């Protein structure tokens, strides 16, 4: 038993009256006062899935309205509220917390640490999200309804919204504070608590991507806080940061917002790259091709993400010189991303691959994410972007990278690591049903949006001329199928493993998976690595057997 205290092995602790630290607490106290990284990771993942379902229901409201021309279910004002809240809830409530959940669960296990560095701050950063989520989701019931300025919260619309705008701003502040605390925790854990012998260049790729993501979060969350605080003072305290009547500039809001917003999209995809970089080598039964180049590519993406923000703003009347700079910078950032895709494909090349569900989602991710990357490259070119700006082509592009990117990687990560979390193997047949159902429904939903955008259909409109009907109907049917697939996933894959139904998972469910997380029993004991593990040369196996 590799330097791990088994939950039933009370060793010498009993004689010192510290046995309460070894077993898991029971009842509601275990979750409310959780300081164990595994429990907090579980809380984050359940919270994120809940928000994912809420955000998904809002999206289905949008797609139901767009099933045919005319106004069927919602008025344009409510339609814009649905659009805005769908975006905010999915980005800040679903994707980001889910990746933090993965980080909480996996980073200490992968680096041989006993827990996260700041256990109580970890608890606080999770519980901050609950009031924030309640404020965000309940803004529909405030006078005037939810914010309807789009998830990008552009002034001057945000200066004219009802009181829900203020609760939305406060909720984002809380979520941002939670992100910053989580990031500090992750950075300190990774830099200070690695097992002896695990140098930085021996860390698993998932740990690397999260280290870089955490630095990005600390750099950009205060920028968002600044933008929404200026909005707040414009609304209530007579400042005119974004109000031209007082010498302010609404375009300045866009610059500040996208200076946060562009690194933010990499915050939502870098941990995904990390998960895929763990899974592909395991099922190709080969080492990851070009580990060092993956680390440098991830760092390059993070650095370059700070100089491309205004490619979201070609249509704001930017000087041609500015357009050229942001165009070239955006094309440049596609290079390290291409390096990653190349490395994944090279890892699979001549590997002896098998296609269990984690690998299916990983390969699906690579294929569909690459398509999203190419549409991004197309949008990077100013003359094309000016035509496609604010059309459904952009909607298709960012859903290809955020749904097929972030979400597919999370599904892959769940199927890959859940045997270690729960001690139970998920049902392989149901996993494959979930994969194919999700992949097909996703493409049926979002691929037609490219054509709608090229034909000129603007986004955030509740109504449209009849020539757009066919593609919209296909997309709406696909969206409902996609939503059903996720309900199926929860009821028939997640719930059984959480209840412990299924065959017991071995310690190493994937025979060629590398990393310290496979050196502890399944399910992972409540406390792991009470003594730091001793590593082999490439820091993937524990040598010392106590």
């Amino acid at each position: 038993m590799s330097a791990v205290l088994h939950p039933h092995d009370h060793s010498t602790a009993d004689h010192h009256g510290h046995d309460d630290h070894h077993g898991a607490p029971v009842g509601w106290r275990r979750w409310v006062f959780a300081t164990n990284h595994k429990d907090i990771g579980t809380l984050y993942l359940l919270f994120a899935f809940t928000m994912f379902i809420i955000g998904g229901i809002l999206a289905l409201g949008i797609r139901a309205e767009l099933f045919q021309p005319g106004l069927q279910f919602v008025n344009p004002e409510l339609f814009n509220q649905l659009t805005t809240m769908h975006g905010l809830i999915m980005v800040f409530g679903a994707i980001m917390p889910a990746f933090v959940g993965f980080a909480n669960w996996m980073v200490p296990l992968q680096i041989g640490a006993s827990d996260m560095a700041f256990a109580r701050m970890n608890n606080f950063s999770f519980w901050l999200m609950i009031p924030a989520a309640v404020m965000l989701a309940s803004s529909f019931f405030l006078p005037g309804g939810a914010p309807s300025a789009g998830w990008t919260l552009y002034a001057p619309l945000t200066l004219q919204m009802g009181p829900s705008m203020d609760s939305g701003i406060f909720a984002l502040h809380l979520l941002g504070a939670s992100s910053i605390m989580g990031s500090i925790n992750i950075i300190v854990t990774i830099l200070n608590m690695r097992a002896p012998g695990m140098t930085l260049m021996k860390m698993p790729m998932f740990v690397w991507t999260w280290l870089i993501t955490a630095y990005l979060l600390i750099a950009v969350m205060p920028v968002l806080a600044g933008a929404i605080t200026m909005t707040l003072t414009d609304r209530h305290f007579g400042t005119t940061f974004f109000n031209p009547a007082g010498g302010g500039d609404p375009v300045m809001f866009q610059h500040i917002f996208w200076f946060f917003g562009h690194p933010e999209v990499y915050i939502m995809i870098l941990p995904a790259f990390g998960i895929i970089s763990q899974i592909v080598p395991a099922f190709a039964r080969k080492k990851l091709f070009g580990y060092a180049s993956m680390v440098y590519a991830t760092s390059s993406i993070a650095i370059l993400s700070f100089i491309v923000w205004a490619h979201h703003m070609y249509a704001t009347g930017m000087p041609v010189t500015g357009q050229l700079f942001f165009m070239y910078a955006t094309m440049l950032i596609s290079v390290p991303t291409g390096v990653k895709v190349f490395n994944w494909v090279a890892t699979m090349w001549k590997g002896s691959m098998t296609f269990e569900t984690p690998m299916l989602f990983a390969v699906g991710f690579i294929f569909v994410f690459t398509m999203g990357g190419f549409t991004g490259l197309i949008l990077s070119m100013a003359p094309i972007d000016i035509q496609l700006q604010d059309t459904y082509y952009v909607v298709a592009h960012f859903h290809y990278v955020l749904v097929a990117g972030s979400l597919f990687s999370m599904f892959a990560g769940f199927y890959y690591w859940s045997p270690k979390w729960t001690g139970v193997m998920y049902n392989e047949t149901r996993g494959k049903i979930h994969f194919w159902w999700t992949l097909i429904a996703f493409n049926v939903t979002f691929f037609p949006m490219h054509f709608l955008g090229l034909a000129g259909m603007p986004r955030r409109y509740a109504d449209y001329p009849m020539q757009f009907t066919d593609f919209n109907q296909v997309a709406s049917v696909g969206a409902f199928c996609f939503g059903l697939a996720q309900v199926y996933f929860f009821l028939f894959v997640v719930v059984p493993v959480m209840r412990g139904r299924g065959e017991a998972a071995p310690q190493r469910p994937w025979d060629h998976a590398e990393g310290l997380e496979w050196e502890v029993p399944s399910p992972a004991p409540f406390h792991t690595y009470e003594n730091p593990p001793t590593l082999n040369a490439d820091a993937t196996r524990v040598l010392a057997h106590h």
Side-chain angles (χ1 to χ4, degrees):
M1 268 221 31
S2 30
V4 169
L5 185 70
H6 199 271
H8 307 302
D9 165 16
H10 288 296
S11 62
T12 56
D14 292 345
H15 310 303
H16 301 293
H18 291 305
D19 47 333
D20 53 324
H21 293 310
H22 285 275
V26 288
W28 58 271
R29 281 185 177 79
R30 170 176 178 179
W31 301 102
V32 174
F33 302 132
T35 51
N36 182 286
H37 71 99
K38 303 177 183 76
D39 284 355
I40 294 175
T42 304
L43 286 170
Y44 266 109
L45 289 168
L46 289 171
F47 168 82
F49 192 80
T50 307
M51 297 302 279
F52 172 62
I53 295 299
I54 294 172
I57 290 167
L58 301 182
L60 294 183
I62 296 169
R63 288 313 325 167
E65 178 52 59
L66 291 174
F67 185 73
Q68 52 189 12
L71 295 177
Q72 280 74 240
F73 302 107
V74 299
N75 61 13
E77 182 66 14
L78 179 57
F79 184 87
N80 284 343
Q81 293 174 25
L82 291 175
T83 313
T84 304
M85 295 306 295
H86 165 69
L88 289 174
I89 285 172
M90 286 304 203
V91 169
F92 296 104
I95 295 179
M96 292 170 69
F99 277 138
V100 177
F102 275 102
N104 263 299
W105 248 107
M106 298 316 303
V107 166
L109 284 180
Q110 290 192 318
I111 64 174
S114 55
D115 206 305
M116 296 291 278
F118 306 116
R120 286 189 175 84
M121 185 167 84
N122 208 6
N123 174 290
F124 184 48
S125 66
F126 171 76
W127 285 108
L128 261 189
M129 303 185 73
I130 303 299
V134 170
M135 286 172 68
L136 205 53
S138 61
S139 58
F140 281 102
F141 306 109
L142 290 172
S148 53
W151 83 273
T152 50
L153 306 175
Y154 276 7
L157 271 175
T158 43
L159 309 183
Q160 301 157 11
M161 294 279 126
S164 64
M165 193 69 226
D166 304 316
S167 73
I169 287 173
F170 191 35
L172 287 181
H173 272 302
L174 290 178
L175 292 166
S178 166
S179 287
I180 289 171
M181 285 193 287
S183 301
I184 292 170
N185 211 344
I186 288 165
I187 290 172
V188 175
T189 304
I190 294 172
L191 295 185
N192 288 351
M193 297 176 68
R194 301 192 304 284
M198 180 173 283
T199 59
L200 285 176
M201 291 309 278
K202 286 178 183 168
M203 295 195 310
M205 273 311 299
F206 180 67
V207 178
W208 256 116
T209 53
W210 244 115
L211 178 63
I212 292 166
T213 302
Y215 275 113
L216 278 179
L217 273 163
I218 289 175
V220 302
M221 290 315 288
V223 178
L224 174 68
I228 57 181
T229 305
M230 288 148 100
T231 303
L232 194 71
T233 59
D234 273 12
R235 285 169 57 80
H236 297 293
F237 301 110
T239 57
T240 52
F241 290 111
F242 309 130
N243 183 354
D249 183 4
V251 176
M252 181 173 76
F253 177 89
Q254 297 188 26
H255 279 290
I256 301 170
F257 179 87
W258 286 116
F259 188 78
F260 146 81
H262 205 82
E264 164 68 18
V265 300
Y266 291 104
I267 286 164
M268 291 189 283
I269 200 65
L270 289 181
F273 290 165
I275 293 174
I276 301 304
S277 302
Q278 302 285 138
I279 293 173
V280 170
F283 293 93
R285 290 161 178 76
K286 278 174 62 185
K287 279 245 186 281
L288 179 68
F289 180 91
Y291 171 90
S293 65
M294 284 294 237
V295 172
Y296 298 136
T298 310
S299 314
S300 313
I301 288 173
I303 293 160
L304 290 171
S305 72
F306 284 100
I307 61 162
V308 298
W309 77 89
H311 65 209
H312 298 265
M313 300 170 52
Y314 289 140
T316 55
M318 197 188 303
V320 174
T321 324
Q323 290 188 21
L324 282 171
F325 170 81
F326 287 107
M327 189 161 111
Y328 293 139
T330 306
M331 291 159 87
L332 186 64
I333 205 171
S334 68
V335 176
T337 314
V339 168
K340 287 180 166 299
V341 174
F342 171 80
N343 285 10
W344 292 322
V345 175
T347 306
M348 292 189 278
W349 179 253
K350 295 197 172 171
S352 57
M353 289 202 288
T354 52
F355 293 97
E356 290 85 352
T357 312
M359 186 61 163
L360 283 178
F361 268 107
V363 175
F365 165 94
I366 294 168
F367 173 65
V368 196
F369 173 79
T370 305
M371 288 172 57
F374 277 130
T375 54
L377 200 53
I378 289 167
L379 288 167
S380 74
M381 298 180 208
I384 303 178
D385 180 82
I386 284 166
Q387 293 295 310
L388 296 175
Q389 159 79 12
D390 264 333
T391 68
Y392 265 79
Y393 191 90
V394 178
V395 179
H397 155 68
F398 69 71
H399 282 87
Y400 264 79
V401 286
L402 279 180
V403 183
S406 304
L407 193 64
F408 276 28
S409 77
M410 288 178 205
F411 288 142
F414 171 84
Y415 286 109
Y416 183 59
W417 282 314
S418 65
K420 185 56 66 189
W421 298 345
T422 61
V424 174
M425 289 304 289
Y426 64 88
N427 183 309
E428 189 64 59
T429 310
R430 291 176 182 177
K432 287 185 167 149
I433 291 171
H434 175 226
F435 168 73
W436 288 109
W437 188 353
T438 299
L439 182 77
I440 293 166
F442 167 78
N443 281 291
V444 169
T445 306
F446 294 106
F447 202 77
M449 293 185 188
H450 293 104
F451 302 127
L452 285 169
L454 289 166
M457 178 169 168
R459 63 180 182 177
R460 298 182 187 168
Y461 276 38
D463 190 8
Y464 54 85
M466 58 184 271
Q467 60 262 39
F468 297 139
T469 308
D470 295 351
F471 282 137
N472 269 304
Q473 291 190 335
V474 171
S476 289
V477 170
F480 278 87
C481 292
F482 185 84
L484 276 176
Q486 307 332 311
V487 175
Y488 172 86
F489 165 68
F490 187 72
L491 293 180
F492 296 104
V493 180
V494 178
V495 171
V497 299
M498 284 174 67
R499 286 186 169 173
R501 294 188 182 155
E503 56 181 277
Q507 179 175 319
R508 306 178 72 84
W510 320 113
D511 47 354
H512 281 73
E514 286 196 335
L516 293 187
E517 68 263 41
W518 309 112
E519 299 294 317
V520 303
S522 300
F526 191 68
H527 291 290
T528 39
Y529 304 126
E530 300 223 331
N531 307 306
T534 313
L535 309 179
N536 66 356
D538 57 357
T540 56
R541 296 294 293 264
V542 172
L543 285 184
H545 285 270
H546 293 241

